[in-house]
């Protein structure tokens, strides 16, 4: 089946630093990737949708200058949390779809736990 | 707009008993429905999906779900629960009219299976 990886799985950083999270589709080409944020014991909140080679589409309330998303290739999307603060601590999950179109499923990565001190 | 409701924050079941995790949805068109399971500090694992056809869908790990159009429900079921089924379960929906492939998730239901 389709596999999506994320790196790192866990990161701890100091307040004010930037953190980059990678999302890779290992055995398929991902035309669209999604970034979600999950708070403890809460559901997934879609942050943004990115299509390869174009700018990401951010959901309402998500700061695009704080959460920089790059989808430079068909197998890699990155989320950079700039000038991270403790309130950015969360579990970030990416997902990817292989082809555009309705029937194509989202395959989820294992998630990245970000802790900002 | 599409939405999903999981009315129970937690479901408690004894091992060996049947379990049901409830999900209702709202879409403007026809729904494309999913169930995912999440173990602690892990991403989402796909359990099953409904697109069209038979209302009873069978999925991974012995789970099944029943699509009920009149009640706009897609409840997850298993005939005999295992302690290892304890996890967080998410129902999700995509509208056939949603060309952006965007999934909307329910709030999640924590399943606790006790020995």
């Amino acid at each position: 089946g389709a596999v999506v990886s994320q790196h790192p799985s866990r990161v701890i950083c100091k307040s004010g630093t930037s953190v980059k999270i990678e999302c890779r589709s290992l055995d398929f080409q991902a035309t669209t990737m999604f970034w979600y944020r999950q708070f403890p014991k809460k559901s997934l909140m879609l942050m943004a949708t990115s299509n390869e080679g174009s700018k990401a589409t951010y959901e309402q309330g998500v700061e695009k200058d704080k959460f920089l998303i790059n989808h430079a290739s068909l197998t890699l999307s990155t989320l950079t949390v700039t000038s991270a603060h403790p309130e950015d601590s969360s579990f970030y999950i990416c997902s990817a779809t292989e082809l555009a179109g309705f029937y194509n499923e989202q395959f989820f990565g294992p998630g990245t736990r970000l802790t900002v001190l | 707009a599409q939405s999903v409701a999981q009315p129970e924050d937690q479901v408690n079941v004894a091992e060996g008993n049947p379990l049901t995790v409830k999900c209702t949805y709202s879409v403007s068109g026809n729904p494309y429905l999913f169930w995912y399971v999440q173990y602690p500090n892990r991403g989402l694992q796909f359990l099953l999906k409904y697109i069209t056809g038979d209302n009873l869908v069978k999925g991974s790990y012995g789970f099944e779900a029943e699509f009920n159009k009149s009640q706009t429900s897609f409840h997850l079921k298993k005939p005999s629960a295992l302690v290892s089924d304890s996890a967080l379960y998410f129902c999700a929906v995509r509208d056939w009219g949603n060309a952006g492939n965007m999934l909307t998730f329910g709030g999640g239901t924590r399943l606790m299976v006790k020995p």
Side-chain angles (χ1 to χ4, degrees), chain A residues 23-113:
Chain A
C23 176
R24 293 182 184 271
S25 56
L26 298 185
D27 50 3
F28 66 99
Q29 293 186 324
T31 51
T32 304
M33 287 185 168
F34 302 84
W35 286 96
Y36 295 87
R37 181 173 180 177
Q38 186 180 29
F39 293 98
K41 299 183 179 181
K42 295 292 184 181
S43 187
L44 280 71
M45 180 190 78
L46 179 65
M47 298 175 65
T49 303
S50 72
N51 293 296
E52 184 265 340
S54 61
K55 290 184 178 180
T57 302
Y58 290 81
E59 295 300 302
Q60 191 172 11
V62 178
E63 299 177 61
K64 60 181 180 181
D65 293 331
K66 181 165 189 61
F67 298 100
L68 300 179
I69 292 172
N70 183 282
H71 192 166
S73 78
L74 284 171
T75 60
L76 173 65
S77 176
T78 59
L79 168 66
T80 301
V81 183
T82 62
S83 187
H85 291 282
E87 59 265 30
D88 299 324
S89 297
S90 194
F91 194 54
Y92 293 88
I93 302 174
C94 74
S95 70
T97 58
E98 183 172 7
L99 294 170
F102 183 85
Y103 288 102
N104 294 291
E105 299 175 26
Q106 289 187 30
F107 300 98
F108 287 83
T112 297
R113 171 77 58 195

Side-chain angles (χ1 to χ4, degrees), chain A residues 102, chain B residues 25-27 29-33 50-52 67 69 93-96:
Chain A
F102 183 85
Chain B
Y25 65 89
S26 175
V27 297
N30 291 314
Y32 185 11
L33 293 153
Y50 171 83
I51 303 174
T52 185
F67 172 66
K69 187 173 183 178
V93 68
R94 183 164 24 142
D95 191 331
W96 280 38

